[in-house]
Amino acid sequence: MRGFKRYSTILRLFSPQRPNWTVSEISQALDTPSSSIYRTMRELSEEGFVEASADAHYRLGSAFIEFDRMMRKTDPLVLKGAPLLQSLIEQAELPCVCVLARLYGDRVICAVDEKTGNTAFSSSYERGLPMPVLYGATSKAILAHLPKRRLDAMLSDAPDDAARSALLSQLKEIRRTGYCVTRGEVDAQLVGLAAPVVNKDLAIWASVSMIVNSSDLTEEIEARITLTLVTLSQFLAQKLTAYSAGA
Amino acid sequence: MRGFKRYSTILRLFSPQRPNWTVSEISQALDTPSSSIYRTMRELSEEGFVEASADAHYRLGSAFIEFDRMMRKTDPLVLKGAPLLQSLIEQAELPCVCVLARLYGDRVICAVDEKTGNTAFSSSYERGLPMPVLYGATSKAILAHLPKRRLDAMLSDAPDDAARSALLSQLKEIRRTGYCVTRGEVDAQLVGLAAPVVNKDLAIWASVSMIVNSSDLTEEIEARITLTLVTLSQFLAQKLTAYSAGA
DNA sequence: CTATAAATTATCATAAAGTGATAACTTAGT
DNA sequence: ACTAAGTTATCACTTTATGATAATTTATAG
């Protein structure tokens, strides 16, 4: 293993299912002598990216809390989008989850989430959890304005050509209408409604979306939500343009 | 520069004051040829630790959002402490900020924060912001139970021997009473009240604290708060012990 | 307090990877 | 199509990482 990947491979071993690793476990998992792992773990812990627990166990370190704060304080999408999402949730008239998500490698990650107090349901979308790029309104709204080169790379994960061309026409429709609605693609019984948020200068491909119970969604409500989302996405895009001009 | 530090030095260039860096700026700042920086930035962006913005600018990447979620989902202090802090803030009868903080290298970092809705004041304590280790109740409560070897390393930053011995007797008092109160050490007009949270098995040295306006604090209220904090810190310590036994 | 095992660090010859000057290539704007 | 800025590729040269082993430290039990 070489370069930064040597470190990130170790960091990505830590998961909710397995948040604690001993040196010997890492050594086994990566088929690398423990003397090397010891050295690497010391480097990571000196910088706060892992912390030594007892019994030779390690867990992720507080550096991630520090860098996460930096993201919240400086990331244009979070910075400009969080207040808007806040007001969006306040004027919601049905139980829902609101999400700002962006492209993250070959997946989509939620950068800000808000939920109404009365949510009886739970959406898969959650700040920091990578989601598939080809399914759900949130992801499709992001794909809609992606340069074709990058889009093509994403499409290689599609099951077949039929799915690919169906998706392409759906993306065309998103560009025309400015929004996307999908039913049960991510979570059964839930409907996702999303609008693209793009800023080329900042290289931001993102979307703003609401996830609601399908049983709560009348045609009238759907029309109102999509209008709100389209308006908000345009407003956020303007904010981002102003930000990129000012900084 | 060698090892992981080569990467973390670059990552730590990004700050709220300067969240955008070009390759040539980094090249200058680190006195390193840009061809090397380009290579390193590519590695970092492939793993999501930085993102390319336009005009040769880079910003921190979404990997930190992903890893922060991991911390929230798996870190014992956050996991067991967050609900307690929630209930602490709910039963607060005056404007305040509640904080769970832990040792982070030679500083102290807040891992969870909660504030009452009506906070007219603002405390320096905030999730993810490293704070000095020698000042304020939050930090002193953490130092109180630190093994003397580590404590000595911390004390080297003290201004003089007088300060050192004053601190040592204060720490002794914290061990006796189970809590610490400081006035205006971090923010003028604010009082910090804290109790240590220690779990040796998990190598956790932390504290739970409340920050309030000094004008709101009568003797009676102070007695009530410190009692609450001591109780809560012991309860949390128990939870951590149970966690370490179960995992 | 000592004995024992486990965890961690140090050592060092070898192999591998990073470095940086340069050139080649892309991309965006005029 | 031209230009300039940004980015990637190349490669001889260093420097650093590697990993088997030994030495040391730490933790635990007797």
Side-chain angles (χ1 to χ4, degrees), chain B residues 30-120:
Chain B
L30 303 184
D31 192 29
T32 302
S34 48
S35 63
S36 298
I37 301 295
Y38 271 115
R39 198 178 332 108
T40 307
M41 296 309 280
R42 181 151 30 120
E43 291 179 47
L44 286 171
S45 67
E46 274 168 2
E47 299 300 315
F49 284 67
V50 301
E51 284 175 7
S53 180
D55 291 329
H57 282 266
Y58 283 88
R59 58 175 176 263
L60 291 179
S62 301
F64 290 111
I65 301 181
E66 187 181 5
F67 279 102
D68 178 69
R69 172 175 175 272
M70 215 72 85
M71 290 290 288
R72 294 195 316 269
K73 294 283 180 187
T74 66
D75 181 67
L77 183 65
V78 176
L79 215 53
K80 299 299 172 187
L84 297 181
L85 214 61
Q86 184 72 40
S87 69
L88 179 60
I89 205 79
E90 275 165 12
Q91 67 190 45
E93 285 161 18
L94 70 175
C96 67
V97 175
C98 295
V99 164
L100 274 175
R102 66 143 62 88
L103 205 59
Y104 174 49
D106 59 352
R107 315 182 78 174
V108 163
I109 194 168
C110 167
V112 192
D113 63 355
E114 290 283 348
K115 62 186 66 172
T116 49
N118 52 353
T119 43

Side-chain angles (χ1 to χ4, degrees), chain A:
Chain A
M1 193 80 49
R2 45 189 268 195
F4 186 70
K5 187 132 196 170
R6 179 161 67 96
Y7 301 102
S8 73
T9 301
I10 290 180
L11 292 174
R12 289 190 185 285
L13 287 177
F14 295 81
S15 72
Q17 289 73 39
R18 214 164 177 332
N20 291 294
W21 288 78
T22 65
V23 168
S24 62
E25 284 167 349
I26 298 173
S27 169
Q28 274 187 260
L30 303 184
D31 193 28
T32 302
S34 48
S35 64
S36 298
I37 301 295
Y38 270 116
R39 196 174 339 103
T40 306
M41 295 309 280
R42 181 152 29 123
E43 290 180 48
L44 287 172
S45 68
E46 273 168 3
E47 299 300 315
F49 283 67
V50 300
E51 284 175 8
S53 180
D55 292 329
H57 281 267
Y58 283 87
R59 57 175 177 263
L60 291 179
S62 301
F64 289 110
I65 300 181
E66 187 182 5
F67 278 101
D68 178 69
R69 172 176 175 272
M70 215 72 86
M71 290 289 288
R72 294 195 317 268
K73 293 284 180 187
T74 65
D75 181 67
L77 183 65
V78 176
L79 216 53
K80 300 299 172 185
L84 298 181
L85 214 60
Q86 184 74 38
S87 68
L88 179 61
I89 204 80
E90 276 165 12
Q91 67 190 44
E93 286 161 16
L94 70 175
C96 67
V97 175
C98 295
V99 164
L100 275 175
R102 65 144 61 88
L103 205 58
Y104 174 49
D106 59 351
R107 316 182 77 175
V108 163
I109 194 168
C110 166
V112 191
D113 63 356
E114 290 283 348
K115 61 187 69 174
T116 49
N118 52 352
T119 42
F121 69 96
S122 80
S123 155
S124 296
Y125 283 92
E126 178 190 343
R127 183 170 194 271
L129 179 64
M131 299 290 283
V133 80
L134 297 183
Y135 303 99
T138 301
S139 294
K140 287 176 177 176
I142 294 175
L143 292 180
H145 291 278
L146 214 57
K148 63 177 177 303
R149 188 166 304 184
R150 275 185 91 179
L151 181 60
D152 287 342
M154 302 287 166
L155 286 174
S156 65
D157 290 341
D160 51 46
D161 278 337
R164 256 183 286 273
S165 65
L167 182 55
L168 284 174
S169 68
Q170 196 172 10
L171 297 184
K172 198 171 183 179
E173 184 70 4
I174 297 172
R175 284 191 294 273
R176 194 177 67 80
T177 62
Y179 68 86
C180 177
V181 179
T182 63
R183 295 160 202 279
E185 282 191 18
V186 178
D187 297 300
Q189 314 303 331
L190 296 187
V191 178
L193 307 96
V197 176
V198 177
N199 185 299
K200 220 181 153 193
D201 282 348
L202 296 170
I204 288 177
W205 280 271
S207 70
V208 54
S209 45
M210 280 183 66
I211 296 105
V212 304
N213 272 312
S214 61
S215 56
D216 289 338
L217 197 68
T218 66
E219 254 184 46
E220 189 192 331
I221 293 177
E222 178 175 325
R224 185 162 52 76
I225 290 180
T226 54
L227 179 59
T228 305
L229 287 175
V230 169
T231 308
L232 193 146
S233 69
Q234 288 170 355
F235 186 62
L236 178 50
Q238 277 173 27
K239 287 252 181 193
L240 291 174
T241 303
Y243 174 90
S244 69

Side-chain angles (χ1 to χ4, degrees), chain B residues 179 222-232:
Chain B
Y179 68 87
E222 178 175 325
R224 187 162 50 76
I225 290 180
T226 53
L227 180 58
T228 305
L229 287 175
V230 169
T231 308
L232 192 148

Side-chain angles (χ1 to χ4, degrees), chain B residues 184-195:
Chain B
E185 281 191 21
V186 178
D187 297 300
Q189 313 306 331
L190 296 187
V191 178
L193 308 96

